[in-house]
Amino acid sequence: MSNTDETYYSIALTRMTGFNQQMALQLYQTLGSARAVYDHRNDLGDIVPDASPRLRESLKHWDDALKRAAAEMEFVTKNGIQVLTLGGAGYPQRLSECPDAPLLLYYKGSADLNQRYVLDIVGTRHCTTYGQDLIRRFLADLRAQCPQVLVVSGLAYGIDVCAHSHALQQGYETVGVLAHGLDQVYPHAHRDIAIQMLRQGGLLTEYMSQTEAMPNNFRQRNRIVAGMSDATILVESAIKGGGLITCRIAQEYGRDVYAFPGAVGMPYSEGCNKMIRNNTAALITSAADFLAAIGWTTAGQKPEAIERQLFPDLTPDEQRIATLLQQANDLQLNTISVKTNIPIGQLTALLFSLEMKGVVKPLAGGTYHLLG
C-alpha cells in the first residue's frame, strides 16, 4: 500500500470519527493503519469491543467519507499542502507522544516541525503594552543566546499574533496552529502575517478544508500547540482564558510551563500570578531566566558534561545507543527506540545508566544528547 493510499484512508477515518480522537487512535493503533480499519469495517466489534454500537455501525459506511477524502487530496495537491500522518515523516515527534495526538495534520510552510528546540507562547487576546514589550524583549534576548528555536502560537489576536510578529522580526521561524482548514485565515486581519509565516515558518491544522473556526476547535487546537512544544510560556492572562487551557494541557503532557508575573490587581496579570502562586508555572522575568530553567544549550556553548567514570564500561545495548547518537545527536526517546529496536521500558533504564556514566545528558522534550 502506498503512502498516498494510507493518507486517503486516514483522511476518511478522521472524517468518520470526528472529534473522538482517542477512539480514532485506538482503532488506528490496534489495526496498524487506516486502510486496515476500512478492511475490517464489518467486524470492528470483535477487534475493538470498546467501540460503541453506534460507531461500529457508522464505520461500516465509508462511501461519503471516501468521497470527501478524495476531494481533500485534490485540494492539498493543488495548494502545496503536506498531509502528515501519525508516525510518518515530518509529523511533530513531540506531539506523537501525546495520548490524544491527531491521526493526521495539514501543513503548509518551510519550517521543520522537529527542530531541536520548540517553544510556544500563549496568552490573552487583549494583551497590553506591557505584554507586547515582554514578548519583544524576551524574543530579542532569546535569539541572541539561543538562535535555533521554533516559535509556536495560535495566530489569534493579542499575545499569539504578537509572538508570531516578533519571532519573524528576530529571524525565528514561527508556526501558527489553526482552528480551521487551510482554505482560510482567521482572523482575516492576520492574513498578511500568515503569508509571511509561510516563508519563515508555516501554518498547521488538523482540520480539512471547509472547516469553520468553531469555538470547540480552538480548545482542540490548544492541545497541538502544547503537544508539539518543549515548553509553554504564558505572557498575560485573565483569571480564565485559552492560554490557561494550553498551560494545563502542557502540564498533563509533562511539559515545562513558565509565566511572566504582572502587577497585582491588573486583570490580564491575574492568570499568570495565580499559576505562579500555585506552583503550576515557574516564574520567569527574562530569556536568561528561561534558559537557565529549561537547560537549553545557548549559542557557542556545549552542555556541561556530567562527571564521567574513568573507564565507563558500556554494555552492547548501551554501545548501540551511543553509536546512534554519535551519528545523529539529540534524538528523542521514541526515535532511539525505533532506530535501535530496543523497547521503551528497557531503553529508559539504559539511558539512565548512560546518564550516570556521563555518556548522555537528557534535554527538554525527551531528547538525549551524547556528551563529547
Side-chain angles (χ1 to χ4, degrees):
M1 181 177 61
S2 70
N3 290 336
T4 301
D5 285 343
E6 179 58 19
T7 298
Y8 171 60
Y9 285 100
S10 294
I11 293 173
L13 178 59
T14 58
R15 176 78 173 178
M16 297 182 75
T17 52
F19 296 113
N20 193 342
Q21 297 291 340
Q22 288 173 330
M23 179 51 66
L25 272 176
Q26 185 178 353
L27 289 167
Y28 185 87
Q29 292 169 343
T30 300
L31 290 159
S33 70
R35 175 58 191 263
V37 178
Y38 172 77
D39 290 340
H40 289 276
R41 61 193 180 280
N42 292 317
D43 59 351
L44 286 173
D46 299 329
I47 300 169
V48 188
D50 291 345
S52 67
R54 181 178 178 182
L55 180 60
R56 277 183 252 163
E57 182 59 32
S58 69
L59 284 169
K60 293 179 182 179
H61 308 287
W62 284 63
D63 288 353
D64 289 344
L66 289 173
K67 288 178 184 176
R68 184 66 179 86
E72 193 66 15
M73 292 284 283
E74 184 178 343
F75 171 78
V76 300
T77 301
K78 181 179 178 181
N79 291 279
I81 295 168
Q82 300 177 59
V83 183
L84 310 177
T85 55
L86 183 64
Y91 191 99
Q93 292 178 354
R94 296 163 177 85
L95 182 60
S96 68
E97 300 168 2
C98 303
D100 54 356
L103 283 182
L104 55 80
L105 295 164
Y106 301 93
Y107 176 56
K108 186 168 185 177
S110 56
D112 176 4
L113 302 179
N114 290 299
Q115 291 188 34
R116 182 175 181 183
Y117 302 131
V118 183
L119 169 69
D120 71 81
I121 299 175
V122 297
T124 178
R125 298 187 180 207
H126 307 282
C127 69
T128 67
T129 302
Y130 168 73
Q132 295 171 25
D133 287 344
L134 280 178
I135 293 172
R136 177 181 55 78
R137 284 188 280 110
F138 174 81
L139 287 176
D141 293 344
L142 186 67
R143 175 71 172 169
Q145 300 178 68
C146 195
Q148 294 180 324
V149 179
L150 178 64
V151 178
V152 177
S153 199
L155 201 63
Y157 287 113
I159 295 298
D160 286 17
V161 74
C162 187
H164 292 308
S165 177
H166 285 295
L168 290 170
Q169 290 176 28
Q170 293 302 325
Y172 276 139
E173 291 181 315
T174 182
V175 168
V177 184
L178 309 180
H180 50 77
L182 287 175
D183 55 333
Q184 59 181 300
V185 171
Y186 178 85
H188 186 74
H190 296 164
R191 179 176 175 81
D192 288 347
I193 194 169
I195 291 171
Q196 294 180 56
M197 290 165 66
L198 293 177
R199 297 190 295 267
Q200 191 179 320
L203 302 175
L204 182 71
T205 183
E206 66 180 308
Y207 299 107
M208 62 178 64
S209 62
Q210 301 177 38
T211 303
E212 298 297 324
M214 304 300 289
N216 186 63
N217 294 6
F218 290 95
R219 291 187 286 273
Q220 292 283 94
R221 180 272 309 275
N222 291 346
R223 83 188 195 288
I224 298 175
V225 172
M228 67 183 290
S229 305
D230 297 310
T232 295
I233 293 182
L234 185 67
V235 178
E236 283 189 303
S237 175
I239 203 67
K240 293 182 180 180
L244 295 175
I245 295 172
T246 305
C247 291
R248 176 182 55 77
I249 295 170
Q251 290 167 337
E252 291 172 354
Y253 291 160
R255 308 295 165 82
D256 294 326
V257 177
Y258 302 89
F260 282 98
V264 174
M266 296 299 292
Y268 296 111
S269 295
E270 290 182 358
C272 295
N273 291 347
K274 182 179 180 181
M275 290 197 71
I276 294 167
R277 184 174 67 249
N278 294 342
N279 293 319
T280 51
L283 184 152
I284 57 170
T285 61
S286 65
D289 283 354
F290 171 73
L291 289 171
I294 200 168
W296 286 355
T297 308
T298 55
Q301 297 178 336
K302 294 183 179 180
E304 292 183 8
I306 302 169
E307 185 177 352
R308 293 177 180 266
Q309 296 177 6
L310 287 176
F311 302 101
D313 297 322
L314 302 187
T315 67
D317 283 343
E318 290 173 344
Q319 186 60 58
R320 281 163 61 199
I321 297 167
T323 300
L324 173 64
L325 290 173
Q326 194 170 29
Q327 296 168 350
N329 211 354
D330 300 339
L331 297 177
Q332 291 195 313
L333 183 67
N334 285 355
T335 303
I336 299 172
S337 176
V338 169
K339 290 184 178 294
T340 59
N341 201 29
I342 299 173
I344 292 289
Q346 180 185 351
L347 179 60
T348 303
L350 289 167
L351 285 166
F352 179 75
S353 175
L354 288 169
E355 182 183 352
M356 291 302 97
K357 292 177 179 180
V359 177
V360 303
K361 178 182 177 68
L363 302 174
T367 299
Y368 285 85
H369 177 84
L370 182 69
L371 294 166

